[in-house]
Every structure is written in structure tokens, then in C-alpha cells.
């Protein structure tokens, strides 16, 4: 009704955007999203139909829905909107593809992300740092799904960006390092470190500032690898920790917490004992441990206690079993004794 009133297409566009954004962020029901999309898809108002910004805002709501849990259904809705745009002769722009790629990243939709990159090139829209960064974020989600090829894919995307003359920024590199970190449980902490080192050296060559987040991300990956029993996880985390100092990057509470988590998850008592000097170092540097830091330690000691109890219980069972065998060998006299 408002689209047909005196407010014109602008008020209708704003009303549509606010309506769908609210549904996407609060409800995430696909049926409701579909219902909310109808005013745009069926509109006869040329101002709304041909306004690329309105379509982009509608697609942005798909990214919101994907983040709230709609997953690949939200990706499909966004792809449908892209198709509807083209049918109405609305030319997508870089923001259109960047937002759709962001939707794929939130839904771990790797296949759709690759398709979107190809489509953007077909539409002669030069890929930008936003599109490539979102693509790497999608690869990071794939790495979380135990894709061993993900780190190399991220490195290939960085190389392609540079081939197109697009300079990766600190966020692009952070996403690429996240890929290596997430894949540490598959390729191993040592291999993840080598690939991350390549990225850090590339950052330095490109004049992109390395920060705590880049190193912390890798140490977190070492903690995940340690939990899986990777024998190189603790050494790799320590190597990363020492490299921060060489590069003059001051560790923060997240760095220390990730280090403690790696030592704790290794399941080795000697490593668990190494957490105390780290806590003391934090206090000397004025870095206050958080609740997360202490929870990591408490959980580690609880697991160590469980392991010790289990070992003692198993030993008792073995002794009891051994005693029964001795009794049987001793015959009747043994049983009486």
C-alpha cells in the first residue's frame, strides 16, 4: 500500500528492507523470509525493481539469516535473488557479489562460492578484496569441516589476488591463517605452521602489519591438534610464541590462554606443569588471566585427575586378574591360602 502512495518507491524500499532484515535476524524461518521477499519479486514499481541497492539490501538479509543458522537455504535464497535481478535487467555490482560471497562464508557453501566468483568474472565485475576475503572465509569454514586441501586453496586465492593486482589486507591474511589453523587437526600442526609462515612472510613483503590475532589463531590451531594427539602441537605452539617475540609483537591474554590450552590438551603431565610458569609470566607482565584462562586450567587438571584415576583402576584390575591366575596355578592349597 505504501509503495502505491505518495511516499513513492523510496519509502516502499525502506519498508521492505527493514521488514526482511527484522525477520532474518530474529526469526530465521525460511517461509517467513520467502513471504517477505514477495513485495520485491512481484513489485510493479520500476523504482524499486531497478534499484540495485534495494536488491543488495535484500541479499544482505540472506547473509544475516545464514549467520543466524539458516545455512545453505539462505545461500539458495540469495542466489535466487541474484537470478531475479538479472531477469529484471538489474545489473549486479561488486557489492552484490561481495554480500553473496559473505553469505556463502557464513554457511560454509564452498561450491556456491566458487560459482559466484566465476559468475562475477562473466559479468565483467572485477573481483575486489572484499570478494576474495569472503572466499577465503568460506575456505576457512571448509577447513573446519576437515578439508585437507583448504590451506593450499587459500594460498592459491592469495596468489590469484596478486595476479589481478589486488593487494590482500590484514583481514584477508587473517582469514587465510585461520584456514591453516583450522586444518591443523588434519594436516598437522607442523605443516600448518609452515604454511602460516609463508603467509606471514608475504605480509611483511607486502607491508601489511602483522598483529597478535595472526599468531594467536595459529596457536589455537595447535591446541586443537594437541587434543587430537598431534606430537608436534606443543613444540609448534612454542615456536609460534617465540616468533612473536622475535617479531616484537607483545603476546596478550589470548596468546597465553591458547598456549596454556595447547599444553593442557596434550594430555602429558609434564606439559601441564609448564602452565604454571606461563601464569607467573602473565602476572609479571601485568596481563590479567580471564575466566577462560582459569577454566582451561581447571578442565586440564580435571582431565589429568580422571586419567590418573583410570590408570590406578586399570592397574588394580590387572593385579586382581594376575592374583586369580596365581591362585589357579597353586591348586587347592593356593585357594585355601
Amino acid at each position: 500500500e505504501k509503495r502505491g502512495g505518495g511516499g513513492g518507491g523510496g519509502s516502499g524500499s525502506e519498508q521492505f528492507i527493514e521488514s526482511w532484515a527484522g525477520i532474518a535476524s530474529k526469526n530465521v524461518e525460511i517461509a517467513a523470509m520467502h513471504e517477505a521477499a514477495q513485495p520485491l519479486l512481484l513489485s510493479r514499481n520500476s523504482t524499486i525493481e531497478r534499484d540495485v541497492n534495494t536488491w543488495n539490501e535484500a541479499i544482505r538479509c540472506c547473509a544475516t539469516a545464514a549467520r543466524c543458522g539458516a545455512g545453505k537455504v539462505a545461500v539458495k535464497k540469495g542466489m535466487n535473488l541474484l537470478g531475479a535481478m538479472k531477469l529484471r535487467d538489474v545489473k549486479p555490482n561488486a557489492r552484490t557479489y561481495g554480500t553473496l560471497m559473505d553469505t556463502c562464508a557464513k554457511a560454509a557453501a564452498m561450491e556456491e562460492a566458487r560459482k559466484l566468483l566465476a559468475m562475477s568474472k562473466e559479468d565483467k565485475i572485477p573481483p575486489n578484496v572484499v570478494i576474495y576475503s569472503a572466499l577465503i572465509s568460506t575456505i576457512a569454514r571448509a577447513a573446519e569441516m576437515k578439508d585437507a586441501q583448504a590451506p593450499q586453496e587459500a594460498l592459491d586465492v592469495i596468489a590469484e589476488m596478486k595476479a589481478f593486482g589486488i593487494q590482500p589486507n590484514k583481514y584477508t591474511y587473517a582469514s587465510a591463517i585461520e584456514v591453516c589453523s583450522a586444518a591443523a587437526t588434519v594436516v598437522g600442526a607442523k605443516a600448518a605452521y609452515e604454511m602460516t609462515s609463508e603467509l606471514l612472510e608475504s605480509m611483511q613483503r607486502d607491508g601489511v602489519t602483522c598483529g597478535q590475532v595472526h599468531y594467536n589463531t595459529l596457536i589455537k590451531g595447535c591446541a586443537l591438534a594437541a587434543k587430537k594427539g598431534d606430537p608436534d602441537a606443543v613444540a609448534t605452539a612454542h615456536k609460534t610464541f617465540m616468533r612473536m617475540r622475535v617479531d616484537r609483537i607483545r603476546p596478550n591474554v589470548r596468546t597465553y590462554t591458547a598456549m596454556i590450552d595447547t599444553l593442557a590438551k596434550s594430555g602429558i603431565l609434564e606439559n601441564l606443569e609448564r602452565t604454571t610458569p606461563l601464569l607467573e609470566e602473565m602476572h609479571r607482565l601485568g596481563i590479567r588471566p580471564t575466566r577462560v584462562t582459569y577454566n582451561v586450567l581447571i578442565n586440564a587438571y580435571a582431565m589429568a585427575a580422571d586419567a590418573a584415576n583410570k590408570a590406578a583402576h586399570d592397574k588394580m584390575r590387572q593385579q586382581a586378574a594376575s592374583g586369580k591366575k596365581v591362585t589357579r596355578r597353586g591348586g587347592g592349597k593356593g585357594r585355601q591360602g
Side-chain angles (χ1 to χ4, degrees), residues 191-306:
Y193 176 85
E194 291 171 356
M195 289 181 283
T196 300
S197 293
E198 185 178 336
L199 289 167
L200 291 173
E201 289 166 6
S202 180
M203 289 178 72
Q204 292 170 351
R205 287 194 302 270
D206 295 341
V208 180
T209 304
C210 297
Q212 295 161 330
V213 63
H214 300 99
Y215 294 89
N216 292 350
T217 300
L218 178 58
I219 297 174
K220 288 177 183 177
C222 292
L224 294 174
K227 188 177 181 180
K228 295 289 185 181
D230 187 341
D232 297 318
V234 171
T236 303
H238 184 260
K239 190 175 182 180
T240 306
F241 187 69
M242 297 307 295
R243 180 168 179 165
M244 288 183 74
R245 293 179 172 176
V246 172
D247 292 343
R248 297 182 179 180
I249 296 176
R250 188 175 187 269
N252 59 14
V253 64
R254 294 184 179 180
T255 313
Y256 281 99
T257 301
M259 280 295 301
I260 290 170
D261 195 27
T262 305
L263 291 168
K265 284 188 167 70
S266 68
I268 300 173
L269 185 59
E270 289 79 4
N271 287 335
L272 187 57
E273 292 171 349
R274 290 168 59 187
T275 61
T276 301
L278 284 175
L279 278 174
E280 293 172 350
E281 185 176 309
M282 291 178 72
H283 288 297
R284 284 198 306 272
L285 296 174
I287 301 173
R288 186 176 179 179
T290 64
R291 182 167 54 186
V292 175
T293 310
Y294 286 116
N295 284 345
V296 165
L297 269 175
I298 292 168
N299 290 335
Y301 278 108
M303 290 173 64
D306 288 342

Side-chain angles (χ1 to χ4, degrees), residues 172-184:
T172 313
Y173 279 111
S175 294
I177 292 172
E178 185 181 353
V179 174
C180 298
S181 174

Side-chain angles (χ1 to χ4, degrees), residues 48-295:
I48 294 177
E49 272 195 355
R50 300 185 184 282
D51 181 7
V52 67
N53 293 325
T54 303
W55 288 92
N56 286 346
E57 285 299 316
I59 292 171
R60 183 179 63 83
C61 293
C62 294
T64 302
R67 185 177 67 247
C68 294
K72 290 190 177 182
V73 182
V75 174
K76 183 178 180 181
K77 176 65 67 177
M79 298 290 280
N80 289 343
L81 285 169
L82 177 63
M85 286 179 71
K86 294 183 176 183
L87 285 174
R88 287 161 174 75
D89 296 325
V90 181
K91 182 176 175 57
N93 57 22
R95 185 187 170 199
T96 310
Y97 280 103
T99 307
L100 276 169
M101 196 72 79
D102 185 43
T103 308
C104 292
K106 290 177 171 64
M110 192 66 231
E111 184 179 343
E112 291 83 351
R114 292 192 185 101
K115 183 178 179 182
L116 281 169
L117 184 63
M119 290 173 66
S120 69
K121 293 175 181 178
E122 289 173 3
D123 289 340
K124 297 182 180 180
I125 296 175
N128 57 26
V129 68
V130 174
I131 292 175
Y132 276 115
S133 295
L135 176 59
I136 294 175
S137 293
T138 310
I139 297 172
R141 293 294 304 275
E144 291 173 4
M145 304 296 181
K146 314 303 179 190
D147 184 351
Q149 302 303 316
Q152 187 57 53
E153 285 191 50
L155 293 174
D156 291 344
V157 171
I158 295 285
E160 183 176 322
M161 289 179 71
K162 293 183 176 183
F164 277 105
I166 301 170
Q167 176 61 52
N169 58 28
K170 62 181 180 180
Y171 302 107
T172 313
Y173 279 111
S175 294
I177 292 172
E178 185 181 353
V179 174
C180 298
S181 174
T185 57
V186 182
V187 301
K190 189 174 181 180
Y193 176 85
E194 291 171 356
M195 289 181 283
T196 300
S197 293
E198 185 178 336
L199 289 167
L200 291 173
E201 289 166 6
S202 180
M203 289 178 72
Q204 292 170 351
R205 287 194 302 270
D206 295 341
V208 180
T209 304
C210 297
Q212 295 161 330
V213 63
H214 300 99
Y215 294 89
N216 292 350
T217 300
L218 178 58
I219 297 174
K220 288 177 183 177
C222 292
L224 294 174
K227 188 177 181 180
K228 295 289 185 181
D230 187 341
D232 297 318
V234 171
T236 303
H238 184 260
K239 190 175 182 180
T240 306
F241 187 69
M242 297 307 295
R243 180 168 179 165
M244 288 183 74
R245 293 179 172 176
V246 172
D247 292 343
R248 297 182 179 180
I249 296 176
R250 188 175 187 269
N252 59 14
V253 64
R254 294 184 179 180
T255 313
Y256 281 99
T257 301
M259 280 295 301
I260 290 170
D261 195 27
T262 305
L263 291 168
K265 284 188 167 70
S266 68
I268 300 173
L269 185 59
E270 289 79 4
N271 287 335
L272 187 57
E273 292 171 349
R274 290 168 59 187
T275 61
T276 301
L278 284 175
L279 278 174
E280 293 172 350
E281 185 176 309
M282 291 178 72
H283 288 297
R284 284 198 306 272
L285 296 174
I287 301 173
R288 186 176 179 179
T290 64
R291 182 167 54 186
V292 175
T293 310
Y294 286 116
N295 284 345

Side-chain angles (χ1 to χ4, degrees), residues 2-48:
K2 287 197 174 184
R3 281 196 300 274
S11 62
S13 172
E14 292 170 5
Q15 182 189 34
F16 164 75
I17 293 168
E18 291 175 4
S19 172
W20 201 14
I23 290 172
S25 62
K26 295 177 183 177
N27 202 335
V28 201
E29 290 183 5
I30 304 307
M33 287 175 59
H34 179 74
E35 183 179 351
Q38 295 311 301
L40 179 58
L41 297 177
L42 302 178
S43 172
R44 294 293 181 269
N45 187 313
S46 60
T47 304
I48 294 177

